Amino acid sequence: MHINDAVFLEDLCPKFRFRQWRKSIHRFTGKSCIYCGKPSESIDHVIPRSQGGLSTTENCVPACLSCNGDKSDENALYWYRRQKFYDPRRAMAIRAWLEGDLRLAIRLLQWANPNFKEKNKNYIKDQSEYKAA
Ligand SMILES: [Zn+2]
């Protein structure tokens, strides 16, 4: 993947950018639902659009269809607290994600799920000065 080409294409074609954006959201979590860890099949708004939530990366998380459908129009943090698969580390990850700290969110998700496969190393490298120890 040539990152420079992608940026160029994105500028030319908003639809392409949207698709890339959706893909990158799923890639952050290794294509797993941020709530339960199952394969993510959809993008969920943490704060629903009906409550003024925006379609920004901070407010959009990868979710399986089951969680997305069950949560419906609720605020994800309230909804998530009532779930059987509730995990405080994931709750923290969702909060970090909302605050735009994707690096922290991803690390918390890795902690919650030891099988988590990091598929976004390059992105993280590009986005910050974080250096692996
Ligand atoms: Zn789920």
Side-chain angles (χ1 to χ4, degrees):
M1 181 69 187
H2 303 287
I3 286 170
N4 291 335
D5 292 351
V7 171
F8 182 61
L9 278 172
E10 280 173 20
D11 291 339
L12 286 179
C13 177
K15 257 189 197 160
F16 179 83
R17 178 161 54 197
F18 182 68
R19 265 210 311 271
Q20 288 300 109
W21 174 75
R22 287 186 71 100
K23 261 196 209 161
S24 72
I25 297 251
H26 287 290
R27 217 167 35 222
F28 283 134
T29 64
K31 293 189 179 138
S32 72
C33 173
I34 198 167
Y35 304 117
C36 71
K38 286 184 200 153
S40 61
E41 298 142 321
S42 61
I43 302 273
D44 184 47
H45 286 73
V46 179
I47 298 166
R49 271 172 295 192
S50 62
Q51 291 175 28
L54 299 174
S55 294
T56 56
T57 301
E58 291 79 16
N59 194 42
C60 290
V61 294
C64 68
L65 289 176
S66 158
C67 287
N68 200 340
D70 188 48
K71 180 187 150 274
S72 185
D73 252 8
E74 262 195 89
N75 180 311
L77 290 167
Y78 296 125
W79 168 83
Y80 183 58
R81 230 173 274 164
R82 295 197 313 270
Q83 304 311 305
K84 274 188 214 133
F85 48 79
Y86 176 83
D87 182 320
R89 293 168 299 194
R90 285 187 182 276
M92 281 162 68
I94 296 164
R95 206 173 284 272
W97 190 294
L98 253 185
E99 285 166 4
D101 195 343
L102 295 189
R103 266 192 305 138
L104 177 61
I106 289 162
R107 287 172 73 184
L108 287 162
L109 289 170
Q110 285 173 325
W111 185 27
N113 176 13
N115 297 322
F116 184 97
K117 285 196 185 77
E118 202 176 340
K119 289 175 182 163
N120 47 346
K121 274 183 186 148
N122 290 332
Y123 181 85
I124 291 191
K125 227 188 299 176
D126 293 346
Q127 291 291 305
S128 71
E129 300 121 21
Y130 175 77
K131 289 194 177 69

